[in-house]
Amino acid sequence: MLTKQAGEAQDPWSWVEPSVWSKRMLAALLEGVQGGKWFSLIDKVYAPRNLAAAMKKVVANRGAAGVDHVRVEQFFLRSGPNLKNLAEQLRQDTYRPQAIRRVYIPKLGSTEFRPLGIPTVRDRVVQTALVHVLEPIFEHDFAPTSYGFRPKRGAQQALDRVEALLAEGYCYVVDADLKSYFDTIPHDRLLQRVGEKVSDGRVLKLIESFLKAGILEDLREWTPTSGAPQGAVLSPLLSNIYLNPLDHLLQACGLEVVRYADDFVILCRSLEEANRALEVVQGWVAENGLSLHPTKTRIVDSRSEGFEFLGIRYERGYRFVRKKSLEKLKETIRQKTKRTSGQPLEKTIASLNRTLRGWYGYFRRCHQTVFDGLDAWIRKRLRSLLRKRRKLRGISRHGADERRWPNTWFAEQGLFSLKTAHELRANPL
């Protein structure tokens, strides 16, 4: 089972960390271990090769310093003694996580703020090493209906599934919203769920120590009684573990669900089926210590109403960019095209192109009118910048500026065109 089968593009388990998961361990995973539980895993967490591999990922992801003010670069410069200390502390059971630095980031298009937890670099390394060990164990039994924070899966596949179901006539959509999901996961029930597959008491204790690590906000510190901090390496895996039974329950009920982390929709053929699906979700959520947002959770007839999922707004058979996602792109472009910028135009365009190519790669399935308007707006921003450099007052308007710097001129400068990319995708050469 570990070799490629005819027609397979690649080994489905090629993503596992090789410093942890040998062929023998993978065989045990696929064939099943005795009693369905894994013992003696802590030594694999603190194995030097695993910690070194974890550190490389943390360094690649960069990120801010935690409460100890140690930056990724500083930790890496002393990686030898740092990793040795971590391995020894984990081996002797003296390792204790440091507090998590809490910051708040604004929710786009809202006056609300989202809490973000920043563990120290040392704790991010240990959490990554822990994920290397645990993820394959749980991934083996995760439902195919979840796509978020999973290897070889992502938002595009989730959106593909939604569109396939809509095309098949699943027009009633249960648009479910879990209220403050990451902050409200019950610790005891989560640990119990992890314990269904992991019997290594030291690993369970390590997970619990991360869940109960102090939260430092300004000068105030407290110990959380629920939740998995957003921003922690371990949290995405734990969040999927907790919601996996819901995925399987909905499947067992014959319902078509598409879930990405805590964001999910259930697509149904009739209003009666949608009402039944919502009742199933409401019952499970209440039994598992969570809650649905009272105003954001609703049933939608997609033939006459719109719903949003993963940044896309589905409306009467068309796909548009969600307003918040569009505003996020525009704010990024505003920062890159300030009229006071002294950066050469070619560097500004190169920076814009990186953003636009990535953004288009995600939203390429949307209606062409989205791209037409954005292209025009971006060129207007650039014309305003060029006016400033010619010591002309005000922002660009129709007329002289468009003749001075026509659309073809920007194409000659190498500016990425969303409209052109969309046309090429629709009508490839």
Side-chain angles (χ1 to χ4, degrees):
M1 294 181 70
L2 301 179
T3 58
K4 294 181 184 179
Q5 302 295 318
E8 280 188 351
Q10 57 185 349
D11 178 0
W13 292 93
S14 61
W15 54 271
V16 302
E17 175 50 49
S19 66
V20 175
W21 287 89
S22 63
K23 288 185 177 181
R24 183 178 177 181
M25 281 189 65
L26 272 176
L29 175 68
L30 299 175
E31 294 167 8
V33 292
Q34 187 175 4
K37 293 189 177 185
W38 288 76
F39 298 83
S40 303
L41 294 174
I42 190 65
D43 60 313
K44 296 169 179 59
V45 176
Y46 63 69
R49 287 183 61 207
N50 186 20
L51 289 173
M55 183 194 64
K56 287 181 181 179
K57 288 185 179 179
V58 171
V59 170
N61 291 334
R62 306 181 71 176
V67 295
D68 61 358
H69 306 293
V70 175
R71 301 190 305 275
V72 169
E73 299 84 358
Q74 293 172 308
F75 187 93
F76 180 72
L77 287 175
R78 289 183 47 80
S79 58
N82 283 338
L83 295 183
K84 184 178 180 181
N85 288 339
L86 285 179
E88 192 63 17
Q89 289 172 13
L90 288 164
R91 187 180 68 82
Q92 295 183 357
D93 202 20
T94 59
Y95 170 84
R96 299 292 181 271
Q98 294 172 285
I100 294 173
R101 181 165 69 90
R102 172 165 283 190
V103 297
Y104 289 87
I105 56 175
K107 289 185 178 181
L108 201 61
S110 170
T111 57
E112 298 179 2
F113 287 80
R114 185 189 309 279
L116 184 67
I118 305 176
T120 59
V121 177
R122 71 187 280 274
D123 289 343
R124 299 208 291 269
V125 170
V126 175
Q127 287 193 33
T128 304
L130 190 55
V131 169
H132 286 169
V133 174
L134 294 178
E135 189 170 32
I137 294 172
F138 291 93
E139 178 65 29
H140 184 256
D141 292 318
F142 278 162
T145 55
S146 72
Y147 296 86
F149 306 117
R150 294 184 60 188
K152 298 188 177 182
R153 287 173 164 257
Q156 293 298 324
Q157 291 153 304
L159 293 169
D160 287 343
R161 183 58 183 156
V162 168
E163 293 179 15
L165 290 168
L166 288 171
E168 291 172 18
Y170 290 80
C171 54
Y172 289 91
V173 180
V174 180
D175 188 1
D177 187 284
L178 289 169
K179 187 176 180 181
S180 303
Y181 171 62
F182 279 87
D183 290 334
T184 57
I185 304 173
H187 287 171
D188 55 346
R189 298 185 189 186
L190 173 58
L191 289 167
Q192 181 181 2
R193 211 147 285 174
V194 176
E196 291 171 1
K197 289 186 173 296
V198 174
S199 285
D200 188 321
R202 290 179 63 184
V203 167
L204 294 172
K205 180 181 174 183
L206 182 60
I207 295 171
E208 184 176 17
S209 70
F210 281 122
L211 290 173
K212 297 186 180 302
I215 305 292
L216 183 64
E217 182 180 345
D218 296 326
L219 298 178
R220 186 168 64 96
E221 183 174 351
W222 75 96
T223 301
T225 56
S226 64
Q230 294 188 64
V233 179
L234 190 58
S235 294
L237 175 60
L238 295 178
S239 71
N240 274 335
I241 290 172
Y242 200 70
L243 289 180
N244 187 49
L246 174 61
D247 297 334
H248 285 287
L249 172 62
L250 292 171
Q251 272 195 302
C253 292
L255 297 166
E256 294 287 355
V257 60
V258 182
R259 181 173 70 80
Y260 190 97
D262 59 333
D263 192 3
F264 65 96
V265 288
I266 306 170
L267 293 98
C268 306
R269 290 187 180 275
S270 67
L271 181 59
E272 292 75 20
E273 185 182 26
N275 281 318
R276 179 172 66 90
L278 182 55
E279 287 179 4
V280 171
V281 172
Q282 287 171 331
W284 188 91
V285 164
E287 290 174 4
N288 286 270
L290 303 174
S291 61
L292 291 170
H293 199 290
T295 58
K296 294 181 180 179
T297 299
R298 61 199 183 110
I299 294 175
V300 172
D301 183 345
S302 63
R303 295 169 299 184
S304 58
E305 302 173 81
F307 72 96
E308 297 176 351
F309 185 60
L310 300 182
I312 305 288
R313 179 167 181 80
Y314 293 91
E315 192 166 340
R316 300 180 184 183
Y318 295 101
R319 300 178 294 268
F320 300 97
V321 179
R322 188 179 68 155
K323 185 177 180 181
K324 290 180 180 179
S325 301
L326 192 60
E327 186 53 41
K328 183 178 180 180
L329 171 69
K330 285 190 170 184
E331 182 55 35
T332 299
I333 292 172
R334 289 188 188 100
Q335 294 301 316
K336 291 176 181 282
T337 57
K338 288 182 177 179
R339 287 187 292 163
T340 55
S341 170
Q343 184 173 246
L345 182 64
E346 57 267 27
K347 287 192 175 182
T348 298
I349 287 178
S351 179
L352 280 174
N353 285 350
R354 286 191 294 272
T355 297
L356 294 173
R357 286 194 176 98
W359 188 87
Y360 177 75
Y362 186 91
F363 290 101
R364 61 186 181 272
R365 65 185 72 225
C366 291
H367 195 272
Q368 67 179 46
T369 54
V370 172
F371 309 116
D372 297 352
L374 273 173
D375 273 347
W377 181 78
I378 292 166
R379 287 191 295 265
K380 181 177 179 180
R381 295 280 309 176
L382 289 172
R383 290 187 181 108
S384 296
L385 183 153
L386 292 167
R387 279 179 62 85
K388 177 76 173 178
R389 293 182 180 179
R390 288 200 176 189
K391 302 191 184 304
L392 299 173
R393 290 185 175 183
I395 62 173
S396 176
R397 296 181 176 83
H398 294 298
D401 289 339
E402 292 179 341
R403 292 190 294 272
R404 189 179 291 119
W405 301 292
N407 296 354
T408 53
W409 184 83
F410 286 108
E412 291 168 0
Q413 307 311 305
L415 179 65
F416 181 82
S417 169
L418 296 165
K419 178 183 178 182
T420 300
H422 191 66
E423 289 174 347
L424 287 172
R425 181 173 180 266
N427 302 290
L429 297 176

